[in-house]
Amino acid sequence: MGDERRDGYDGTGPGAITPDGCAVEMWSRLPVDGSPEVIERAVPAGASILELGCGVGRMTHPLLDRGFTVTAVDESPEMLARVRGARTVRSPIEHLDLGERFDVVLLASFLVHAGDPTVRRGLLETCRRHVADDGSVLVQREGEDWYRNVPRERPVGRDGLMRVVSATPVGDGVNSVHIEYEFPDARWTHTFRARPLDTKQFERALADAGLAVEGYLTDDRTWVQARPVPHRTG
């Protein structure tokens, strides 16, 4: 399995850079947001969770602390090396097939906005393939105005700054997004492709993969719970 950079994705700065341009060291510095609490409220206690795109375990570790059993998937060995206490699997998400099903499948980090619609469909089909019939898929989506509201910046961690510098249309409804992260001792950049999806487009994408939106879990509608649609027979 190669570590070639994905087309349209890049990153700079100290340490390892993943195929989608993420800096491992930088992500290790960022605290988790309130997502583990959102997940805990939405799913059964002690559920088995398949976390797709776990990165350095920022969400994995709080979920383990809450009593969930987590299988953490990422395509970067450097990311997975930072994960503790969970079963880890190295694989591109869109190609994953564990032959297992889980109470909960997580697709966080706005991965559903992949610029390539084939990749997006592969991500969602992986979710559908691995969720139990009575389970749920939790997807994190972008706010619908995120790339109209640029440039913008906000503090991250104790002493860092994240700046969304630009979101440049590159055709077919896709933006090339450039982000800078600045800390007193280091600076990183991340460039990636993102396809904005309004609510109708988002729900259609899930439906095409056999998932039906059950509800939005946060006031900003960025966390979504979906259920698998039964496969047709006959």
Side-chain angles (χ1 to χ4, degrees):
M1 185 182 303
D3 289 324
E4 296 83 4
R5 201 63 50 83
R6 290 175 179 257
D7 185 36
Y9 294 72
D10 201 4
T12 65
I17 305 292
T18 67
D20 61 355
C22 291
V24 176
E25 177 60 34
M26 191 280 297
W27 281 101
S28 297
R29 297 185 179 204
L30 299 186
V32 70
D33 59 12
S35 296
E37 288 78 12
V38 173
I39 294 163
E40 184 177 31
R41 290 194 300 266
V43 304
S48 62
I49 296 178
L50 177 65
E51 183 187 1
L52 302 174
C54 65
V56 297
R58 291 168 60 245
M59 205 147 60
T60 315
H61 300 138
L63 291 173
L64 290 169
D65 290 344
R66 287 164 168 77
F68 297 107
T69 301
V70 182
T71 296
V73 179
D74 205 279
E75 66 181 342
S76 165
E78 294 88 356
M79 289 286 197
L80 289 175
R82 308 285 180 113
V83 176
R84 297 287 180 266
R87 171 194 179 195
T88 59
V89 178
R90 183 188 175 194
S91 175
I93 297 168
E94 62 269 32
H95 302 315
L96 183 71
D97 191 350
L98 296 176
E100 304 171 38
R101 296 204 287 171
F102 298 79
D103 300 324
V104 180
V105 179
L106 296 182
L107 186 67
S109 300
F110 317 113
L111 295 174
V112 72
H113 292 275
D116 184 339
T118 302
V119 171
R120 181 189 66 209
R121 184 177 181 95
L123 300 176
L124 292 172
E125 288 178 346
T126 293
C127 293
R128 177 64 182 86
R129 184 162 55 245
H130 289 89
V131 67
D133 289 343
D134 59 350
S136 65
V137 175
L138 272 57
V139 181
Q140 188 180 29
R141 63 191 287 252
E142 297 170 346
E144 293 186 14
D145 67 340
W146 279 17
Y147 298 129
R148 296 192 294 270
N149 179 27
V150 292
R152 68 179 186 274
E153 62 183 36
R154 64 177 176 86
V156 291
R158 291 181 299 175
D159 53 5
L161 183 71
M162 183 189 83
R163 182 179 299 111
V164 182
V165 178
S166 60
T168 305
V170 291
D172 189 33
V174 178
N175 292 324
S176 176
V177 181
H178 184 71
I179 299 180
E180 297 174 349
Y181 297 88
E182 293 185 1
F183 291 80
D185 62 336
R187 178 179 180 275
W188 289 271
T189 71
H190 187 199
T191 302
F192 58 94
R193 298 284 174 90
R195 180 181 295 272
L197 300 169
D198 62 26
T199 298
K200 183 176 180 180
Q201 292 168 329
F202 171 77
E203 293 188 357
R204 179 72 259 171
L206 267 63
D208 288 344
L211 298 167
V213 170
E214 182 173 78
Y216 291 82
L217 302 177
T218 53
D219 291 340
D220 62 6
R221 296 168 66 85
T222 56
W223 271 107
V224 185
Q225 187 165 32
R227 300 286 182 182
V229 176
H231 293 296
R232 294 179 180 177
T233 59

